[in-house]
């Protein structure tokens, strides 16, 4: 039964006008429309909420941007203030320096009579250098002349045979500023003395690492460097079985390092010992029976010299202790001999070792350049090599004197400060001084003894 028009209108109003075009629809269609309207309302609310969240996020981003911008501005302003402060300090320092320089110039100009002459060297102002080493009179004369070339150094000589107590007494009475040299038997004593008396010590011969102290500099190569030089040379010369002959009780660091290095290359090493009472013919027979093809003799002495006076079926390799004026000289040599030189050849030194080479005097540069020229010609003539060796028997001591002369020109309160980190290109090679360490750098030099003359091996 159909209702009146008023009743139909009333039904539409019951939906509050929320369901459009509901008139004439079934109950199911009305329910569907109602659900769609509800979902649409939920979607609208969700979109409003999402828009609200986006707005909050944008506000937070803007706030963070502003904070970062403020912090950047503050840091920039702080850096500007610091830069201005440093600039003011630098300008003030420069102004004070210029003013001091101006005052100094005026003072010197006003009192010219008080300016010392450049070549004036009084005994009181000279550096006292004490050399502890056995030297011939000719060698002493050469070193004294070399030390006087630029002046400022007074050289004293002490024989190491006088005993440790006498050496100490003489060094202190001479008011020694620097100790130089040292023989094998007293390098440890001199290193200890230099530490006790705070006197710098330049050792011209090898010093064991545990004997090097804070006031000592060794103008030689380390045992590790020497072992590498000797092992590579012997192995590259096709020697595979090495014997090392040492005085009894002399199992030193170098022999241990050579043993390790040569074995790492694939060779075999056997260490033998001897005493002055041994029958050397029996000892030589033992070495030959062992089948070695090269024998290393580290120390120069009369017992070892007897080995060189006879023929053998092995080659003898001599350590740097044999690189001295008396050898080979008139030494009787019946066996093939190779010599490991004290000097080194120039080579490129790494930045970590030498950052900047010191400028040497014209005389020192002349010596260095002459040495390079002579070395380049050495392989072509045994006589030229011999002359070089004879001229450079005190090369390490000359290098030490030149190093001291350079140090005296350096800045520093004490002589130790002036010596530290000093670099020098000398007769025996390139030196990079470091307290308590080894200074000599460069490529090893080996000689073959032919007719009692040294011939450099390329």
């Amino acid at each position: 039964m159909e209702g009146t028009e008023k009743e139909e209108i009333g039904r539409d109003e019951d939906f509050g006008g929320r369901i459009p075009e509901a008139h004439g629809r079934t109950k199911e269609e009305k329910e569907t429309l109602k659900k769609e309207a509800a979902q649409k309302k939920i979607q609208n609310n969700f979109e409003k909420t999402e828009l609200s969240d986006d707005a909050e996020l944008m506000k937070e981003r803007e706030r963070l941007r502003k904070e970062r911008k403020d912090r950047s501005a503050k840091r920039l302003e702080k850096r500007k203030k610091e830069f201005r402060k440093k600039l003011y300090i630098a300008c003030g320092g420069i102004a004070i320096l210029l003013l001091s320089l101006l005052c100094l110039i005026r003072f010197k100009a006003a009192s010219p009579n008080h300016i010392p002459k450049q070549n004036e060297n009084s005994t009181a102002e000279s550096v006292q250098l004490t050399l502890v080493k056995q030297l011939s009179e000719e060698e002493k004369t050469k070193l004294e002349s070399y030390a006087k070339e630029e002046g400022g150094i007074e050289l004293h000589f002490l024989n190491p045979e006088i005993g440790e107590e006498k050496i100490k007494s003489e060094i202190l009475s001479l008011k020694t500023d620097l100790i130089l040299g040292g023989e094998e038997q007293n390098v440890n004593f001199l290193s200890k003395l230099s530490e006790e008396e705070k006197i710098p010590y330049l050792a011209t011969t090898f010093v064991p690492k545990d004997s090097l102290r804070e006031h000592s500099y060794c103008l030689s190569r380390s045992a590790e460097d020497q072992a590498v030089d000797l092992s590579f040379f012997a192995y590259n010369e096709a020697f595979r079985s090495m014997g090392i002959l040492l005085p009894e009780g002399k199992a030193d660091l170098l022999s241990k390092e050579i043993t390790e290095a040569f074995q790492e290359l694939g060779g075999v090493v056997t260490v033998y010992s001897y005493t002055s009472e041994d029958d050397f013919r029996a000892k030589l027979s033992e070495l030959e029976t062992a089948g070695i093809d090269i024998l290393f003799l580290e120390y120069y002495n009369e017992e070892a010299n007897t080995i060189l006076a006879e023929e053998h079926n092995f080659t003898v390799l001599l350590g740097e202790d044999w690189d001295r004026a008396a050898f080979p000289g008139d030494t009787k040599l019946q066996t093939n001999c190779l010599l490991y030189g004290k000097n080194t050849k120039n080579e490129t030194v790494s930045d970590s070792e030498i950052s900047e080479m010191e400028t040497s005097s014209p005389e020192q540069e002349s010596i260095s350049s002459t040495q390079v020229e002579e070395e380049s010609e050495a392989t072509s003539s045994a006589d030229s090599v011999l002359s070089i060796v004879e001229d450079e028997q005190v090369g390490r001591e000359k290098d030490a004197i030149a190093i001291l002369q350079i140090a005296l020109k350096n800045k520093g309160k004490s002589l130790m400060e002036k010596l530290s980190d000093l670099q020098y290109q000398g007769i025996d090679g390139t030196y990079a001084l470091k307290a308590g360490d080894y200074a000599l750098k460069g490529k090893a030099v080996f000689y073959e003894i032919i007719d009692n003359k040294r011939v450099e091996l390329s």
Side-chain angles (χ1 to χ4, degrees):
M1 182 177 176
E2 298 180 2
T4 62
E5 181 178 355
K6 184 177 180 180
E7 288 174 339
E8 293 294 334
I9 294 170
R11 292 192 188 100
D12 290 347
E13 289 175 349
D14 288 341
F15 289 96
R18 291 190 298 274
I19 304 176
E21 299 179 2
H23 179 67
R25 297 183 182 277
T26 63
K27 186 176 180 180
E28 290 78 10
E29 290 176 339
K30 291 177 180 179
E31 285 297 327
T32 301
L33 290 174
K34 186 175 180 181
K35 290 179 180 179
E36 289 177 355
Q39 290 176 353
K40 188 173 182 181
K41 183 176 180 181
I42 292 171
Q43 181 67 29
N44 290 337
N45 291 337
F46 176 79
E47 290 177 355
K48 289 178 180 179
T49 302
E50 191 174 19
L51 289 173
S52 178
D53 291 341
D54 289 341
E56 289 296 327
L57 184 61
M58 290 297 293
K59 288 180 180 179
E60 182 66 16
R61 287 177 178 172
E62 286 297 324
R63 185 183 66 79
L64 292 174
R65 287 194 190 99
K66 185 177 180 181
E67 286 182 359
R68 286 197 296 270
K69 191 178 292 185
D70 291 341
R71 285 197 298 270
S72 298
K74 289 178 180 179
R75 284 196 297 267
L76 181 61
E77 183 62 26
K78 184 179 179 180
R79 284 197 294 269
K80 287 181 178 178
K81 288 181 179 179
E82 290 177 351
F83 175 77
R84 286 194 292 267
K85 183 179 179 181
K86 291 179 180 178
L87 184 61
Y88 295 150
I89 293 172
C91 291
I94 292 172
I96 293 172
L97 182 63
L98 291 174
L99 184 61
S100 302
L101 185 61
L102 182 61
C103 293
L104 182 62
I105 292 172
R106 287 184 176 180
F107 175 77
K108 286 187 176 183
S111 55
N113 295 329
H114 294 284
I115 301 176
K117 297 179 181 179
Q118 185 176 0
N119 297 327
E120 182 180 333
N121 295 299
S122 65
T123 304
E125 295 175 349
S126 297
V127 173
Q128 305 301 309
L129 173 60
T130 302
L131 175 55
V132 184
K133 189 175 181 179
Q134 283 186 332
L135 297 170
S136 66
E137 292 302 319
E138 181 183 357
E139 289 171 333
K140 290 179 181 179
T141 302
K142 284 183 180 180
L143 290 174
E144 285 178 334
S145 175
Y146 188 74
K148 290 177 181 178
E149 286 182 7
E150 286 197 15
I153 297 175
E154 188 170 349
L155 189 57
H156 310 279
F157 299 98
L158 292 179
N159 189 325
E161 300 297 330
I162 63 176
E164 293 180 355
E165 289 300 322
K166 183 66 173 176
I167 291 174
K168 179 178 180 179
S169 175
E170 289 291 330
I171 286 175
L172 296 180
S173 65
L174 291 169
K175 298 182 179 180
T176 301
D177 296 304
L178 186 138
I179 305 170
L180 177 61
E183 301 286 356
E184 177 199 349
Q185 67 269 24
N186 54 37
V187 289
N188 185 42
F189 161 71
L190 291 175
S191 179
K192 185 178 179 181
L193 176 63
S194 74
E195 189 69 17
E196 292 174 353
E197 302 297 334
K198 308 302 179 187
I199 303 172
Y201 170 42
L202 293 182
T204 56
T205 188
F206 175 76
V207 180
K209 183 65 176 177
D210 56 1
S211 296
L212 280 174
R213 295 171 174 83
E214 291 184 3
H215 283 69
S216 303
Y217 302 87
C218 184
L219 304 183
S220 181
R221 286 162 290 197
S222 66
E224 293 84 353
D225 288 343
Q226 291 187 51
V228 170
D229 292 341
L230 291 161
S231 300
F232 269 93
F233 171 76
Y235 198 84
N236 288 338
E237 292 293 316
F239 297 110
R240 295 295 180 266
S241 179
M242 178 185 290
I244 299 178
L245 187 59
L246 296 170
E248 191 171 16
K250 272 277 191 180
D252 62 356
L253 177 61
L254 180 57
S255 62
K256 294 177 182 178
E257 293 288 344
I258 293 175
T259 300
E260 292 179 5
F262 197 67
Q263 287 177 345
E264 285 179 4
L265 293 172
V268 178
V269 179
T270 307
V271 180
Y272 303 88
S273 63
Y274 67 90
T275 67
S276 58
E277 298 177 356
D278 282 347
D279 180 358
F280 265 82
R281 289 188 180 277
K283 180 63 66 176
L284 294 173
S285 178
E286 178 187 353
L287 295 172
E288 291 179 344
T289 304
I292 64 171
D293 48 25
I294 187 167
L295 176 67
F296 177 62
L297 297 177
E298 180 179 354
Y299 299 105
Y300 178 91
N301 52 45
E302 291 303 318
E303 291 84 358
N305 264 304
T306 61
I307 297 176
L308 307 182
E310 297 186 15
E311 290 188 29
H312 310 293
N313 58 8
F314 52 78
T315 297
V316 176
L317 176 59
L318 305 172
E320 69 170 19
D321 189 48
W322 291 76
D323 188 2
R324 54 181 65 202
F327 184 82
D330 296 328
T331 305
K332 183 180 179 182
L333 301 176
Q334 294 295 325
T335 190
N336 184 35
C337 291
L338 303 172
L339 173 64
Y340 178 49
K342 287 183 179 179
N343 60 308
T344 62
K345 282 187 176 180
N346 298 337
E347 65 177 6
T348 303
V349 182
S350 63
D351 293 338
S352 61
E353 293 174 325
I354 297 179
S355 59
E356 182 180 356
M357 298 301 294
E358 292 287 333
T359 303
S360 59
S361 66
E363 292 84 356
Q364 294 154 359
E365 290 175 354
S366 176
I367 291 170
S368 298
S369 62
T370 302
Q371 179 201 12
V372 172
E373 292 172 3
E374 289 176 341
E375 285 180 346
S376 66
E377 298 171 357
T379 55
S380 62
S381 170
D383 293 332
S384 64
V385 172
L386 181 60
S387 66
I388 295 170
V389 172
E390 290 173 345
D391 289 342
E392 296 180 0
Q393 285 307 313
V394 287
R396 189 73 58 84
E397 285 71 25
K398 281 188 175 182
D399 285 346
I401 293 171
I403 287 170
L404 177 58
Q405 288 172 335
I406 294 173
L408 295 176
K409 300 174 184 177
N410 289 346
K411 295 179 180 178
K413 295 181 180 179
S414 67
L415 186 54
M416 276 297 298
E417 289 183 10
K418 294 180 178 183
L419 286 168
S420 296
D421 300 322
L422 187 149
Q423 294 89 30
Y424 173 67
Q425 175 61 56
I427 297 172
D428 268 10
T430 301
Y431 301 91
L433 268 66
K434 185 178 179 183
D437 210 344
Y438 302 94
L440 186 61
K441 311 297 178 183
K443 185 179 179 182
V445 178
F446 288 87
Y447 303 94
E448 183 175 6
I449 310 301
I450 300 176
D451 296 330
N452 280 54
K453 295 180 181 180
R454 305 184 189 194
V455 178
E456 183 179 333
L457 298 175
S458 58

